[in-house]
């Protein structure tokens, strides 16, 4: 019995037509990494690197970051691990950085905006060097958080080139060209998806932040939590537009926000053309189970229906495939 369950968890999810649908893990700690690898995750779709910096009295150096990332990637063997570049600012404060206060932190200097500030150059270079060194040892992908501009992608590419050149000049092994992707979590990234897609290898929709920004309802603020439903047709329209924009250049789109493990949302996401999901450890097995046997065409109809609803609640009714 236990053995059968383990085998089921480890098996890939295959849709009704025979199409493979990868399920990756969101990990923010070493415990997450171990648990999700044991739960059948086929790699990491979102490695949140903030743990390296949150609550630390001093900034972790390159060696400390490399060691911590290596430990987190280790349970996944040769499966790809997607390292998201440090996403601080907003609600995530780093005491060691002495960041200036902002009236609207979620609309302020967070994610890639912070990383590209000249005052954080050394921090960003150490971060990239740690990632590139790990890429010499195992398959890695890099993902940029909070992107809204083409210039931000180009800025990261330039910093990556610098870090790589410096490592090479020092004779330190670093990964060859590794896939570079972006989080789609701002409305600007949705509207510009076709343009941004031309610059990257993959996209992953951060539905937690995307819902917050589409609905103008702060995540975590209980007073507006009713607005923050990722199944609202406006959020689904944003997901649909992202997929359509990315389709032109043939860039695959994943979902790594909580919506990807929402039982009501999974068939709709499949119907909107999402090609993989990344979910918390506890959701890996249930999401795989739900995906098995879903029919893409039937999901497409369901998604079209969901887009036409006038309230999120209509998409919260139970779904029988
Ligand atoms: C998201 O915004 O949906 C996401 C996956 O990233 P985080 O929750 O870390 O902001
Ligand atoms: Mg986010």
């Amino acid at each position: 019995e236990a053995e059968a369950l383990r085998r089921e968890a480890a098996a890939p999810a295959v849709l009704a037509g025979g199409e493979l649908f990868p399920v990756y893990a969101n990990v923010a700690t070493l415990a997450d990494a171990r648990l999700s690898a044991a739960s059948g995750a086929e790699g990491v779709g979102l490695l949140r690197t903030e743990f390296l910096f949150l609550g630390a009295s001093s900034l972790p150096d390159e060696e400390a970051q490399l060691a911590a990332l290596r430990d987190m990637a280790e349970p996944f063997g040769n499966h790809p691990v997607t390292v998201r570049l440090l996403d601080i600012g907003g609600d995530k404060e780093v005491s060691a950085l002495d960041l200036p206060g902002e009236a609207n932190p979620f609309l302020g200097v967070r994610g890639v905006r912070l990383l590209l500030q000249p005052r954080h150059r050394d921090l960003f270079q150490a971060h990239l060097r740690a990632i590139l060194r790990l890429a010499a040892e195992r398959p890695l992908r890099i993902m940029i958080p909070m992107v809204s501009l083409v210039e931000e992608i180009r800025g990261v590419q330039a910093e990556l080139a610098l870090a790589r050149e410096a490592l090479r000049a020092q004779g330190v092994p670093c990964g060859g060209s590794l896939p570079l992707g972006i989080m789609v979590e701002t409305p600007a990234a949705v509207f510009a998806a076709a343009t941004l897609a031309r610059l990257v290898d993959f996209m992953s929709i951060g539905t937690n932040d995307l819902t917050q920004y589409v609905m103008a309802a702060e995540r975590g603020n209980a007073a507006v939590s009713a607005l923050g439903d990722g199944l609202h047709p406006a959020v689904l329209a944003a997901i649909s537009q992202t997929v359509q924009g990315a389709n032109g250049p043939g860039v695959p789109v994943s979902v790594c926000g909580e919506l990807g493990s929402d039982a009501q949302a999974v068939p709709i996401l499949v119907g909107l053309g999402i090609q993989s999901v990344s979910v918390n450890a506890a959701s890996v097995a249930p999401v795989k189970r739900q995906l098995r046997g879903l029919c893409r065409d039937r999901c497409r109809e369901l998604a079209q229906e969901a887009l036409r609803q006038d309230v999120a609640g209509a998409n919260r009714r139970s779904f029988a495939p």
Side-chain angles (χ1 to χ4, degrees), residues 110-304:
R110 60 168 295 202
V112 69
R113 301 173 183 183
L114 183 141
L115 295 175
L116 289 176
Q117 282 190 329
R119 60 179 287 222
H120 297 305
R121 193 97 194 260
D122 292 347
L123 174 150
F124 193 22
Q125 279 295 307
H127 190 46
L128 292 174
R129 285 170 59 102
I131 295 167
L132 287 172
R133 286 174 62 187
L134 185 58
E137 303 174 13
R138 61 152 4 271
L140 277 195
R141 317 197 305 165
I142 293 180
M143 182 156 75
I144 317 173
M146 270 301 285
V147 170
S148 38
L149 302 171
V150 159
E151 293 93 308
E152 292 164 341
I153 301 173
R154 296 222 170 94
V156 170
Q157 285 169 330
E159 292 296 317
L160 263 171
L162 263 180
R164 193 176 267 124
E165 272 166 38
L167 286 169
R168 289 221 175 101
Q170 294 165 315
V172 180
C174 59
S177 82
L178 56 170
L180 180 68
I182 58 169
M183 303 266 307
V184 174
E185 47 189 352
T186 68
V190 172
F191 294 126
T195 304
L196 299 178
R198 281 196 286 274
L199 296 176
V200 298
D201 301 302
F202 64 94
M203 288 175 150
S204 187
I205 304 180
T207 53
N208 308 338
D209 276 311
L210 184 59
T211 303
Q212 149 170 278
Y213 294 125
V214 165
M215 304 307 292
E218 186 184 353
R219 64 193 274 193
N221 181 343
V224 292
S225 63
L227 278 159
D229 191 334
L231 276 181
H232 191 284
V235 179
L236 297 181
I239 295 171
S240 177
Q241 189 167 338
T242 302
V243 172
Q244 277 163 30
N247 270 350
V251 169
V253 182
S254 182
V255 164
C256 62
E258 295 303 318
L259 200 64
S261 54
D262 181 324
Q264 248 104 38
V266 167
I268 295 173
L269 295 174
V270 170
L272 291 173
I274 293 298
Q275 284 166 279
S276 65
V277 287
S278 189
V279 302
N280 294 333
S283 297
V284 171
V287 167
K288 275 187 171 180
R289 201 170 302 132
Q290 192 183 8
L291 284 164
R292 292 193 182 107
L294 281 183
C295 163
R296 222 359 130 190
D297 287 339
R298 172 72 191 100
C299 288
R300 231 172 251 133
E301 290 168 17
L302 188 80
Q304 289 313 306

